[in-house]
Amino acid sequence: MILPRLLIPVETAAAETRVAVSPETIKKFIGLGCSVAIEQGAGASAGFVDSSYAEAGAELVAVGDAQAWGQADLLLCVQTPQQQALAKLRNGALVVGLLSPYSNESLTTSLKNCGLSAMALELLPRISRAQSADALSSQANIAGYKAVLLGAAALDRYFPMLMTAAGTVQPAKVVILGAGVAGLQAVATARRLGAVVFVSDIRPAVKEQVESLGARFIEPPEMDDKPAESGGYAKQASEAFLAAQRQQLSDQLAEADVAICTAQVPGRRAPRLISDDMLDRMRPGSVVVDLAVAQGGNCADTQPSQTVDRKGVKLIGANDLPCSVPNHASALYARNLLALLEPMFKDGQFSLDTEDELIAGCLIAQDGSIRRGDVLTPGAN
């Protein structure tokens, strides 16, 4: 492919405030020889005004402009555009974004019927040279940070220890479930606010990381089928292991002020770690922040984008937290996209090396042919 024409659309998913490029990355794409078109208002909710994109060298086009879509070689998005929008793209155009590929029949149908190629950033292999392109990690970092702020704002107590003339206030106890990127950022943020932090994770190998941040690691149950990780992600644990872990957590949560749930397994329902019985033991005024609520939730009774008062315990369904910090979330996501695509520009050409481990892992379709049938549903022909 000759140097491509890029198109950046206005995001249409509900509550989505991010944008796929920043003025900074537009300048760099243009420096690589690309032409860039961006729909008017695409960055407004993230604090990037149209004039900043124009000054960076982008062409501003009307939202839904059929000609702009038809001329695009490369569509950079945050979430998957609607089917009628994808139908405007020419055969062979490449769509790159967080495409929610797992069992996504409508996406499969669009890719096949419109002859599109697509790269789903969720499937990017977790290898060392992919770190700068790892959008899941950059966004999870933000989610972990914001989850602690939500918990602190909802809590009926201080986070830090305070010594006052009226006496000493003991620090809050925060229990974090899951020591992935979001969990570790939650640890660091809660520690900065002065809380005492405990971390539960099914992988004993993360103990060193947890303790290096000043938290205390809750040792997983002693069982023969302890899960580890695969490709940088936690493996699905057996039900027997999870049951033993829940029993272990019950006493910790009974003394907790805030619990932050971050445990997720790609393409699967989130493990249920906090049961109704465990919630019954938490004190009134305590808070649970569930980052896995959109995948079914780690905690019983949480609802997406809602705060539920359950017998005095506040349950916060914290989905889409990166969208609550849209400027930095967009800036980091834009750099992820640039880091992924920049190596594909060589000698005045843009090419996909399907033998490259990094590309092969996340290239779910090429010219309408589904490459990751293990992830996508068959869809319509």
Side-chain angles (χ1 to χ4, degrees), residues 61 188 194 200 212 260 262 272 317 376:
V61 298
S200 172
S212 71
I260 297 176
T262 73
R272 181 57 54 85
L376 290 167

Side-chain angles (χ1 to χ4, degrees), residues 201-203 205-206 209 227-235:
D201 195 284
I202 60 177
R203 301 161 295 174
V206 303
Q209 291 174 285
E229 62 180 49
S230 176
Y233 298 97
K235 286 183 178 178

Side-chain angles (χ1 to χ4, degrees), residues 313-351:
V313 179
K314 295 178 183 177
L315 308 180
I316 300 176
N319 54 308
D320 299 326
L321 285 189
C323 295
S324 68
V325 191
N327 185 271
H328 276 155
S330 298
L332 294 172
Y333 181 78
R335 292 173 191 167
N336 293 145
L337 286 179
L338 178 66
L340 173 64
L341 297 172
E342 191 171 18
M344 302 177 197
F345 291 86
K346 294 179 182 177
D347 303 322
Q349 299 280 322
F350 177 84
S351 62

Side-chain angles (χ1 to χ4, degrees), residues 256-267:
D257 297 299
V258 176
I260 297 176
C261 307
T262 73
Q264 301 177 58
V265 179

Side-chain angles (χ1 to χ4, degrees), residues 307-315:
T307 298
V308 177
D309 189 320
R310 185 192 181 281
K311 302 178 182 178
V313 179
K314 295 178 183 177
L315 308 180

Side-chain angles (χ1 to χ4, degrees), residues 148-372:
V148 173
L149 300 188
L150 289 177
L155 184 63
D156 60 354
R157 300 183 176 186
Y158 281 120
F159 256 43
M161 174 183 282
L162 293 178
M163 301 181 71
T164 74
T168 300
V169 175
Q170 294 300 316
K173 176 179 177 179
V174 176
V175 175
I176 296 172
L177 310 185
V181 174
L184 292 174
Q185 180 56 249
V187 170
T189 305
R191 290 288 297 136
R192 290 188 197 104
L193 293 179
V196 176
V197 182
F198 293 78
V199 179
S200 172
D201 195 284
I202 60 177
R203 301 161 295 174
V206 303
K207 178 180 179 180
E208 184 176 344
Q209 291 174 285
V210 166
E211 292 180 343
S212 71
L213 293 172
R216 305 174 192 181
F217 185 66
I218 303 170
E219 296 285 352
E222 289 296 330
M223 298 185 70
D224 293 335
D225 62 342
K226 281 184 183 178
E229 62 180 49
S230 176
Y233 298 97
K235 286 183 178 178
Q236 181 76 12
S238 69
E239 185 54 41
F241 181 92
L242 292 175
Q245 185 190 41
R246 285 192 290 268
Q247 182 61 43
Q248 182 189 57
L249 280 175
S250 186
D251 289 340
Q252 294 283 351
L253 291 171
E255 300 175 357
D257 297 299
V258 176
I260 297 176
C261 307
T262 73
Q264 301 177 58
V265 179
R268 296 176 181 265
R269 183 180 177 86
R272 181 57 54 85
L273 302 179
I274 301 180
S275 65
D276 282 304
D277 289 343
M278 295 161 78
L279 288 173
D280 286 340
R281 296 188 64 192
M282 295 185 72
R283 70 166 184 84
S286 60
V287 180
V288 178
V289 183
D290 192 350
L291 296 183
V293 65
Q295 286 75 46
N298 294 150
C299 178
D301 303 325
T302 53
Q303 298 294 325
S305 303
Q306 295 183 32
T307 298
V308 177
D309 189 320
R310 185 192 181 281
K311 302 178 182 178
V313 179
K314 295 178 183 177
L315 308 180
I316 300 176
N319 54 308
D320 299 326
L321 285 189
C323 295
S324 68
V325 191
N327 185 271
H328 276 155
S330 298
L332 294 172
Y333 181 78
R335 292 173 191 167
N336 293 145
L337 286 179
L338 178 66
L340 173 64
L341 297 172
E342 191 171 18
M344 302 177 197
F345 291 86
K346 294 179 182 177
D347 303 322
Q349 299 280 322
F350 177 84
S351 62
L352 291 172
D353 179 6
T354 56
E355 300 299 317
D356 185 297
E357 177 185 6
L358 192 151
I359 295 172
C362 63
L363 185 64
I364 58 175
Q366 187 171 22
D367 298 330
S369 175
I370 302 302
R371 293 175 53 92
R372 291 296 305 270

Side-chain angles (χ1 to χ4, degrees), residues 11 13 15-19 42-47 322-326 330:
E11 294 293 324
E16 182 56 72
T17 58
R18 294 168 292 179
V19 64
S45 58
C323 295
S324 68
V325 191
S330 298

